[in-house]
Amino acid sequence: MTDPAKTGAETLAGVKIFSDRLTVDAEGKLHIAGVAASELLERFGSPLVVGVEDTLLRNFDRIQEAFATAWPGPSAILYAIKSNNTLAFRHLLSRAGAGGDCFGLGELRATLDSGADPARIALNGSDKSPELILIAVMHGVTINIDDAEEIDMIADAAAQSGKRARVNLRLKILPEALGPYMGGSTQRHGQGIASAKRAKWGLSPASATEVATRLLQMPSIDLAGFSVHIGHLSNRPEAFAAIAAEFGAAVLEISTALGLRPRILDLGGGWAREREPEQRGAPVDRVTIETQATAAADALAFALGPLADPANGPLPELWLEPGRYISGNAQVLLATVGSVKEDCGYRWVNVDISTNDLMRIETGSFEYDILPASRMHDTPTASQEIVGSTCFRSVIGAGRNLPSLGRGDVLAVLDAGMYAEVFSTQFNSVPRPAAVLIGTGGEVEIMRVRETLVDVFASHRVPDRLRQHEKE
Amino acid sequence: MHEIEPNWLTRIGGRPDDMAVDEKGTMTLGRLPADWLVQEYGSPLYVTLEQVIRDNVRRLREAFDRHWPTGVDLFYAIKTNNCLAIRSVLTSEGVGGECFGDVEYRATRESGVSPDRIILNGSDKTEHALAAAVAGNSVINIDSLDEIEMLSRLATSEKPVRVNIRLRIAPSGLDGFDASFFKNGGTASESLLAAKWGFSESAAAEIVAKLLADPKFDLLGYSTHVGRFTSDPAAFGVVGRDLARLTRALRDRTGFWPRVLDLGGGWPRLREPESRLPDASIHDIDEHVAAITLALHEGLDGALPRLWAEPGRYLVGNAVVLLSNVTTIRSEPGRRWIHVDASTNLLMRIETSRSWYHILPASRMTAPITGNATIVGPTCIPSVLGADRPMPDLRRGDVVAIPDAGMYAEVLAPQFNGMPRPAGVMIAPDGSVDLVRRRETYEDIYRNHLMPSRLVASPLPT
């Protein structure tokens, strides 16, 4: 992962992607959007999550443009807030025109409150409650139906709110062509296509046809289209093309059988980034979003046949639900070195973050790029184990070739914008870090307050009868 | 596969742990029906059984009483479960505290533990935590040279700081045991050598000499902690032999003989989710204690030190049951998914370590099993709580119970997908129920988020 001969600055030059706002000054200090990492820690404390507005918005613009170009009809980007639920991010994206992909009340409320256009919000989930569906229908949010049981709940919600409910049907799409691409993030759930079959989501085309037949007879429900989401499994354009082709074929079959013309086709998320901690140390493989978008859009249009022929009417609006692509590199996690121990042929560098802050290391064997932010020009001198201090092993990076680090040095972990804070835990009763946002003008503002002991135990109650012995 | 009236509680093994089935076929916890608890306190719900904790303490103490002349001093590893009410129960049982960092230290103290009955561990202790421990006459298990320097500044010769030195136990004798639980591959000894904790014999010898020469330190002895990776008592014998060997070797190099040996935690339970197996262990705690104490008796040739232990899972693992409502049920030919309102957020060791939990149909314990089902949580990851489990027919509103949710569950729970964390209740031996953790709300998820004013004030797209 880290070339033994490379300085931090050289490593950065090798892994940098278009929207990173990372530079190195003459003294070897890493700057994030123009502000020195060390200065950020002095002002806001360590550890610190640093969000970069320009990176977030540049990622959004690029994926929006990629699909606008690749798909001959209209398209919309629905940000998957599950990847990063920072409210400031969600507001920035709403101002830029992003819709939202939501699960559950917590995500739906945050998305609606941020001012996202409800007509571009999709409610997903394999197990939606009646209360949740009612709120979605009241606000004009589109429900991606995942099970026939939802139909009655939606009809009730429509009757109760007096609004017509807009829905898509989530299809279970299992192209055999995906097989070779499914060894990565899904390997814990079984190899290849067996894993997708076992997953809880979606309706088979046959079930979807039955459900659609019912829906078409219900005036209070507007069946707008179909959705699919396999999730991140590969950055190969062939994988996205395989999903889009199978999805398009299923949509065509159902639509032909029922004589309907979908207005929305939602291709879901998992769009690959150029630098991906989930690659687990594999070299940066720069498959651009344009390549993925073109592969998917072409395959979809081809499979849809008459449904994608402008001669037959307007093309469906293409919806995308990217999370990681937009948020992945929009946060950098800064940490400070504490105790360093050398023994048994190893050198352990303790830092004040832990895998609590990067839980995908524990759950998905993510490998993150780690830069020596206070010594970017120093030659690496030692293989070092970068460890958090919790009572787990908490290995942030094993055997990293870095300049010899000492107490007070600063490290920067890239790509901490996706599935990091949203999965963070308070294990060992450790309060979670603060987050700041660096604006396009270089202004720095707090967007998440550092937790304290009070936050860790905010929900706990000790019954009086157990307090008795303290007084004795 | 099909059987009449499956005996779930026998099938899962281990001890009854205050779980039973009433005449209606409903599972009871401390004699209270699971469905009543969920109706009363909401779902999902962590239910703590106080009597089970007290029984665990007694059983562990009795095992050491049988095998070591001075018994054992227990220090609860609060990292396992930081529920303050549980900590208070343990305080009333006279159990000291094993802590990491400032916050665990404060929580332990506030539960009424005398500070001189607290141990501070950690590979990178902050000066703040060390200062609190010195002021409280707590014991510090030294794990880095930095802390010696800091302690030397914080302590005085009049009131020396009590310390153990954390030894690195990585004997090749452990390599015969399955070490797949350790994530970094290789053998147990390779894995233990690569971990951040502890000092090798030569490093420890230097530190012993240094601390003996410094009147600000009161060196009690040694600490070690291998952590759970096997339930085989023979592995505890290997650890005991290596600890005795190191103790003798360090005596030969420095003349120091310990008054205390802190054996750490990882004491195996009968039902162990981390074993990744449905079958309970055949080895009870007495065998593990017997194996390690026998090795120490045989290997130590000086005055027998006091033994300390830092149990976590043993004291609380089986004391919490997670209850969850059944929601959507979906069938396809050959497959059945039962959704419940608990997700792997609440049992994160499934995601991090492939822990295997029993899932019981709490509201239909005597219903016939009708086939396999996959029990899933609602979140946007697969959230598989149990794959292909034999289950009766369940419907929306039924309750499932997941035992052994007392360890590394609540303390590792994230709020992924904007999911508030559940409430917890504790059932007292007399059957009274107290709320010990209030249910989080959506406001709790976002309580620390701030919005830069320029974003709030800005006009939204129309």
Side-chain angles (χ1 to χ4, degrees), chain A residues 177-202:
Chain A
L178 268 189
Y181 307 107
M182 298 200 67
S185 62
T186 52
Q187 68 185 2
R188 282 154 38 87
H189 304 287
Q191 280 298 322
I193 223 67
S195 134
K197 282 184 182 157
R198 163 167 285 183
K200 61 194 173 187
W201 299 284

PDB file of all heavy atoms in Angstrom, chain A residues 177-202:
ATOM      1  N   ALA A 177     -23.987 -12.842 -15.074  1.00  0.00           N
ATOM      2  CA  ALA A 177     -22.775 -12.159 -15.523  1.00  0.00           C
ATOM      3  C   ALA A 177     -22.072 -11.411 -14.392  1.00  0.00           C
ATOM      4  O   ALA A 177     -20.919 -11.020 -14.502  1.00  0.00           O
ATOM      5  CB  ALA A 177     -23.123 -11.178 -16.651  1.00  0.00           C
ATOM      6  N   LEU A 178     -22.786 -11.216 -13.269  1.00  0.00           N
ATOM      7  CA  LEU A 178     -22.167 -10.509 -12.134  1.00  0.00           C
ATOM      8  C   LEU A 178     -21.186 -11.395 -11.384  1.00  0.00           C
ATOM      9  O   LEU A 178     -20.345 -10.899 -10.629  1.00  0.00           O
ATOM     10  CB  LEU A 178     -23.243 -10.069 -11.144  1.00  0.00           C
ATOM     11  CG  LEU A 178     -23.841  -8.696 -11.290  1.00  0.00           C
ATOM     12  CD1 LEU A 178     -24.717  -8.407 -10.084  1.00  0.00           C
ATOM     13  CD2 LEU A 178     -22.762  -7.640 -11.412  1.00  0.00           C
ATOM     14  N   GLY A 179     -21.320 -12.678 -11.556  1.00  0.00           N
ATOM     15  CA  GLY A 179     -20.545 -13.631 -10.775  1.00  0.00           C
ATOM     16  C   GLY A 179     -19.097 -13.252 -10.535  1.00  0.00           C
ATOM     17  O   GLY A 179     -18.654 -13.175  -9.387  1.00  0.00           O
ATOM     18  N   PRO A 180     -18.339 -12.965 -11.598  1.00  0.00           N
ATOM     19  CA  PRO A 180     -16.917 -12.704 -11.409  1.00  0.00           C
ATOM     20  C   PRO A 180     -16.618 -11.445 -10.590  1.00  0.00           C
ATOM     21  O   PRO A 180     -15.501 -11.278 -10.111  1.00  0.00           O
ATOM     22  CB  PRO A 180     -16.393 -12.513 -12.838  1.00  0.00           C
ATOM     23  CG  PRO A 180     -17.453 -13.012 -13.748  1.00  0.00           C
ATOM     24  CD  PRO A 180     -18.737 -12.964 -13.006  1.00  0.00           C
ATOM     25  N   TYR A 181     -17.622 -10.566 -10.412  1.00  0.00           N
ATOM     26  CA  TYR A 181     -17.359  -9.291  -9.729  1.00  0.00           C
ATOM     27  C   TYR A 181     -17.796  -9.303  -8.271  1.00  0.00           C
ATOM     28  O   TYR A 181     -17.759  -8.299  -7.595  1.00  0.00           O
ATOM     29  CB  TYR A 181     -18.079  -8.152 -10.467  1.00  0.00           C
ATOM     30  CG  TYR A 181     -17.738  -8.130 -11.924  1.00  0.00           C
ATOM     31  CD1 TYR A 181     -18.649  -8.534 -12.890  1.00  0.00           C
ATOM     32  CD2 TYR A 181     -16.462  -7.735 -12.335  1.00  0.00           C
ATOM     33  CE1 TYR A 181     -18.306  -8.538 -14.228  1.00  0.00           C
ATOM     34  CE2 TYR A 181     -16.122  -7.733 -13.675  1.00  0.00           C
ATOM     35  CZ  TYR A 181     -17.041  -8.149 -14.617  1.00  0.00           C
ATOM     36  OH  TYR A 181     -16.702  -8.160 -15.928  1.00  0.00           O
ATOM     37  N   MET A 182     -18.257 -10.449  -7.804  1.00  0.00           N
ATOM     38  CA  MET A 182     -18.867 -10.444  -6.482  1.00  0.00           C
ATOM     39  C   MET A 182     -17.995 -11.079  -5.413  1.00  0.00           C
ATOM     40  O   MET A 182     -18.490 -11.619  -4.436  1.00  0.00           O
ATOM     41  CB  MET A 182     -20.228 -11.124  -6.534  1.00  0.00           C
ATOM     42  CG  MET A 182     -21.153 -10.373  -7.456  1.00  0.00           C
ATOM     43  SD  MET A 182     -22.888 -10.691  -7.191  1.00  0.00           S
ATOM     44  CE  MET A 182     -23.178  -9.997  -5.608  1.00  0.00           C
ATOM     45  N   GLY A 183     -16.691 -10.982  -5.551  1.00  0.00           N
ATOM     46  CA  GLY A 183     -15.830 -11.591  -4.548  1.00  0.00           C
ATOM     47  C   GLY A 183     -15.453 -10.638  -3.433  1.00  0.00           C
ATOM     48  O   GLY A 183     -14.910 -11.050  -2.426  1.00  0.00           O
ATOM     49  N   GLY A 184     -15.743  -9.354  -3.602  1.00  0.00           N
ATOM     50  CA  GLY A 184     -15.196  -8.344  -2.692  1.00  0.00           C
ATOM     51  C   GLY A 184     -16.013  -8.146  -1.442  1.00  0.00           C
ATOM     52  O   GLY A 184     -15.971  -8.958  -0.521  1.00  0.00           O
ATOM     53  N   SER A 185     -16.774  -7.079  -1.426  1.00  0.00           N
ATOM     54  CA  SER A 185     -17.409  -6.671  -0.177  1.00  0.00           C
ATOM     55  C   SER A 185     -18.462  -7.669   0.274  1.00  0.00           C
ATOM     56  O   SER A 185     -18.900  -7.638   1.397  1.00  0.00           O
ATOM     57  CB  SER A 185     -18.041  -5.301  -0.350  1.00  0.00           C
ATOM     58  OG  SER A 185     -19.037  -5.351  -1.334  1.00  0.00           O
ATOM     59  N   THR A 186     -18.896  -8.544  -0.606  1.00  0.00           N
ATOM     60  CA  THR A 186     -19.974  -9.451  -0.219  1.00  0.00           C
ATOM     61  C   THR A 186     -19.459 -10.827   0.159  1.00  0.00           C
ATOM     62  O   THR A 186     -20.244 -11.721   0.408  1.00  0.00           O
ATOM     63  CB  THR A 186     -20.978  -9.598  -1.374  1.00  0.00           C
ATOM     64  OG1 THR A 186     -20.249  -9.936  -2.541  1.00  0.00           O
ATOM     65  CG2 THR A 186     -21.759  -8.338  -1.599  1.00  0.00           C
ATOM     66  N   GLN A 187     -18.146 -11.002   0.221  1.00  0.00           N
ATOM     67  CA  GLN A 187     -17.658 -12.368   0.383  1.00  0.00           C
ATOM     68  C   GLN A 187     -18.044 -12.978   1.729  1.00  0.00           C
ATOM     69  O   GLN A 187     -18.133 -14.191   1.856  1.00  0.00           O
ATOM     70  CB  GLN A 187     -16.153 -12.448   0.182  1.00  0.00           C
ATOM     71  CG  GLN A 187     -15.341 -11.773   1.249  1.00  0.00           C
ATOM     72  CD  GLN A 187     -13.865 -11.800   0.899  1.00  0.00           C
ATOM     73  OE1 GLN A 187     -13.491 -12.284  -0.143  1.00  0.00           O
ATOM     74  NE2 GLN A 187     -13.048 -11.263   1.777  1.00  0.00           N
ATOM     75  N   ARG A 188     -18.305 -12.132   2.706  1.00  0.00           N
ATOM     76  CA  ARG A 188     -18.685 -12.664   4.006  1.00  0.00           C
ATOM     77  C   ARG A 188     -20.086 -13.279   3.974  1.00  0.00           C
ATOM     78  O   ARG A 188     -20.478 -14.002   4.864  1.00  0.00           O
ATOM     79  CB  ARG A 188     -18.659 -11.571   5.053  1.00  0.00           C
ATOM     80  CG  ARG A 188     -17.254 -11.249   5.531  1.00  0.00           C
ATOM     81  CD  ARG A 188     -17.165  -9.829   6.033  1.00  0.00           C
ATOM     82  NE  ARG A 188     -18.358  -9.437   6.761  1.00  0.00           N
ATOM     83  CZ  ARG A 188     -18.543  -9.647   8.047  1.00  0.00           C
ATOM     84  NH1 ARG A 188     -17.640 -10.245   8.752  1.00  0.00           N
ATOM     85  NH2 ARG A 188     -19.644  -9.244   8.631  1.00  0.00           N
ATOM     86  N   HIS A 189     -20.851 -12.948   2.954  1.00  0.00           N
ATOM     87  CA  HIS A 189     -22.225 -13.444   2.910  1.00  0.00           C
ATOM     88  C   HIS A 189     -22.379 -14.532   1.857  1.00  0.00           C
ATOM     89  O   HIS A 189     -23.471 -14.855   1.452  1.00  0.00           O
ATOM     90  CB  HIS A 189     -23.182 -12.287   2.647  1.00  0.00           C
ATOM     91  CG  HIS A 189     -23.027 -11.198   3.651  1.00  0.00           C
ATOM     92  ND1 HIS A 189     -23.476 -11.331   4.946  1.00  0.00           N
ATOM     93  CD2 HIS A 189     -22.411 -10.000   3.588  1.00  0.00           C
ATOM     94  CE1 HIS A 189     -23.161 -10.232   5.616  1.00  0.00           C
ATOM     95  NE2 HIS A 189     -22.518  -9.425   4.834  1.00  0.00           N
ATOM     96  N   GLY A 190     -21.282 -15.059   1.376  1.00  0.00           N
ATOM     97  CA  GLY A 190     -21.348 -16.131   0.387  1.00  0.00           C
ATOM     98  C   GLY A 190     -20.865 -15.618  -0.950  1.00  0.00           C
ATOM     99  O   GLY A 190     -20.971 -14.442  -1.262  1.00  0.00           O
ATOM    100  N   GLN A 191     -20.359 -16.530  -1.731  1.00  0.00           N
ATOM    101  CA  GLN A 191     -19.746 -16.131  -2.994  1.00  0.00           C
ATOM    102  C   GLN A 191     -20.787 -15.838  -4.053  1.00  0.00           C
ATOM    103  O   GLN A 191     -21.852 -16.451  -4.107  1.00  0.00           O
ATOM    104  CB  GLN A 191     -18.815 -17.243  -3.480  1.00  0.00           C
ATOM    105  CG  GLN A 191     -17.458 -17.246  -2.787  1.00  0.00           C
ATOM    106  CD  GLN A 191     -16.680 -15.968  -3.038  1.00  0.00           C
ATOM    107  OE1 GLN A 191     -16.726 -15.424  -4.136  1.00  0.00           O
ATOM    108  NE2 GLN A 191     -15.981 -15.464  -2.039  1.00  0.00           N
ATOM    109  N   GLY A 192     -20.427 -14.889  -4.900  1.00  0.00           N
ATOM    110  CA  GLY A 192     -21.128 -14.642  -6.137  1.00  0.00           C
ATOM    111  C   GLY A 192     -22.619 -14.431  -5.973  1.00  0.00           C
ATOM    112  O   GLY A 192     -23.089 -13.767  -5.053  1.00  0.00           O
ATOM    113  N   ILE A 193     -23.322 -15.040  -6.876  1.00  0.00           N
ATOM    114  CA  ILE A 193     -24.730 -14.750  -7.031  1.00  0.00           C
ATOM    115  C   ILE A 193     -25.551 -15.310  -5.878  1.00  0.00           C
ATOM    116  O   ILE A 193     -26.614 -14.801  -5.545  1.00  0.00           O
ATOM    117  CB  ILE A 193     -25.180 -15.307  -8.400  1.00  0.00           C
ATOM    118  CG1 ILE A 193     -26.067 -14.290  -9.073  1.00  0.00           C
ATOM    119  CG2 ILE A 193     -25.798 -16.657  -8.328  1.00  0.00           C
ATOM    120  CD1 ILE A 193     -25.319 -13.047  -9.456  1.00  0.00           C
ATOM    121  N   ALA A 194     -25.013 -16.327  -5.209  1.00  0.00           N
ATOM    122  CA  ALA A 194     -25.729 -16.894  -4.063  1.00  0.00           C
ATOM    123  C   ALA A 194     -25.942 -15.825  -3.001  1.00  0.00           C
ATOM    124  O   ALA A 194     -26.959 -15.816  -2.297  1.00  0.00           O
ATOM    125  CB  ALA A 194     -24.945 -18.066  -3.488  1.00  0.00           C
ATOM    126  N   SER A 195     -24.986 -14.925  -2.907  1.00  0.00           N
ATOM    127  CA  SER A 195     -25.073 -13.863  -1.918  1.00  0.00           C
ATOM    128  C   SER A 195     -26.235 -12.921  -2.212  1.00  0.00           C
ATOM    129  O   SER A 195     -26.995 -12.539  -1.331  1.00  0.00           O
ATOM    130  CB  SER A 195     -23.734 -13.144  -1.869  1.00  0.00           C
ATOM    131  OG  SER A 195     -23.897 -11.767  -1.871  1.00  0.00           O
ATOM    132  N   ALA A 196     -26.388 -12.551  -3.485  1.00  0.00           N
ATOM    133  CA  ALA A 196     -27.483 -11.650  -3.854  1.00  0.00           C
ATOM    134  C   ALA A 196     -28.833 -12.342  -3.694  1.00  0.00           C
ATOM    135  O   ALA A 196     -29.825 -11.724  -3.335  1.00  0.00           O
ATOM    136  CB  ALA A 196     -27.296 -11.161  -5.280  1.00  0.00           C
ATOM    137  N   LYS A 197     -28.877 -13.634  -3.940  1.00  0.00           N
ATOM    138  CA  LYS A 197     -30.142 -14.361  -3.792  1.00  0.00           C
ATOM    139  C   LYS A 197     -30.561 -14.403  -2.333  1.00  0.00           C
ATOM    140  O   LYS A 197     -31.731 -14.341  -2.006  1.00  0.00           O
ATOM    141  CB  LYS A 197     -29.990 -15.804  -4.316  1.00  0.00           C
ATOM    142  CG  LYS A 197     -30.034 -15.894  -5.826  1.00  0.00           C
ATOM    143  CD  LYS A 197     -29.975 -17.336  -6.301  1.00  0.00           C
ATOM    144  CE  LYS A 197     -29.975 -17.386  -7.823  1.00  0.00           C
ATOM    145  NZ  LYS A 197     -29.391 -18.623  -8.336  1.00  0.00           N
ATOM    146  N   ARG A 198     -29.574 -14.516  -1.460  1.00  0.00           N
ATOM    147  CA  ARG A 198     -29.874 -14.635  -0.043  1.00  0.00           C
ATOM    148  C   ARG A 198     -30.274 -13.279   0.553  1.00  0.00           C
ATOM    149  O   ARG A 198     -30.940 -13.229   1.577  1.00  0.00           O
ATOM    150  CB  ARG A 198     -28.636 -15.183   0.663  1.00  0.00           C
ATOM    151  CG  ARG A 198     -28.645 -14.992   2.143  1.00  0.00           C
ATOM    152  CD  ARG A 198     -27.577 -15.809   2.807  1.00  0.00           C
ATOM    153  NE  ARG A 198     -27.952 -17.213   2.833  1.00  0.00           N
ATOM    154  CZ  ARG A 198     -27.231 -18.172   3.400  1.00  0.00           C
ATOM    155  NH1 ARG A 198     -26.083 -17.873   3.949  1.00  0.00           N
ATOM    156  NH2 ARG A 198     -27.638 -19.410   3.403  1.00  0.00           N
ATOM    157  N   ALA A 199     -29.860 -12.194  -0.083  1.00  0.00           N
ATOM    158  CA  ALA A 199     -30.137 -10.871   0.477  1.00  0.00           C
ATOM    159  C   ALA A 199     -31.638 -10.617   0.525  1.00  0.00           C
ATOM    160  O   ALA A 199     -32.394 -11.119  -0.295  1.00  0.00           O
ATOM    161  CB  ALA A 199     -29.428  -9.805  -0.338  1.00  0.00           C
ATOM    162  N   LYS A 200     -32.026  -9.795   1.506  1.00  0.00           N
ATOM    163  CA  LYS A 200     -33.443  -9.659   1.829  1.00  0.00           C
ATOM    164  C   LYS A 200     -34.221  -8.774   0.869  1.00  0.00           C
ATOM    165  O   LYS A 200     -35.437  -8.727   0.948  1.00  0.00           O
ATOM    166  CB  LYS A 200     -33.541  -9.081   3.246  1.00  0.00           C
ATOM    167  CG  LYS A 200     -32.897  -7.710   3.359  1.00  0.00           C
ATOM    168  CD  LYS A 200     -32.687  -7.279   4.816  1.00  0.00           C
ATOM    169  CE  LYS A 200     -31.889  -5.990   4.857  1.00  0.00           C
ATOM    170  NZ  LYS A 200     -31.511  -5.612   6.217  1.00  0.00           N
ATOM    171  N   TRP A 201     -33.514  -8.048  -0.010  1.00  0.00           N
ATOM    172  CA  TRP A 201     -34.192  -7.001  -0.757  1.00  0.00           C
ATOM    173  C   TRP A 201     -34.810  -7.453  -2.073  1.00  0.00           C
ATOM    174  O   TRP A 201     -34.273  -8.309  -2.770  1.00  0.00           O
ATOM    175  CB  TRP A 201     -33.216  -5.873  -1.070  1.00  0.00           C
ATOM    176  CG  TRP A 201     -32.637  -5.216   0.114  1.00  0.00           C
ATOM    177  CD1 TRP A 201     -33.253  -4.312   0.938  1.00  0.00           C
ATOM    178  CD2 TRP A 201     -31.324  -5.403   0.633  1.00  0.00           C
ATOM    179  NE1 TRP A 201     -32.388  -3.928   1.921  1.00  0.00           N
ATOM    180  CE2 TRP A 201     -31.196  -4.579   1.761  1.00  0.00           C
ATOM    181  CE3 TRP A 201     -30.236  -6.184   0.243  1.00  0.00           C
ATOM    182  CZ2 TRP A 201     -30.037  -4.492   2.507  1.00  0.00           C
ATOM    183  CZ3 TRP A 201     -29.070  -6.118   0.984  1.00  0.00           C
ATOM    184  CH2 TRP A 201     -28.976  -5.285   2.106  1.00  0.00           C
ATOM    185  N   GLY A 202     -35.882  -6.789  -2.450  1.00  0.00           N
ATOM    186  CA  GLY A 202     -36.385  -6.837  -3.821  1.00  0.00           C
ATOM    187  C   GLY A 202     -37.418  -7.893  -4.111  1.00  0.00           C
ATOM    188  O   GLY A 202     -37.607  -8.860  -3.379  1.00  0.00           O
TER     189      GLY A 202
END
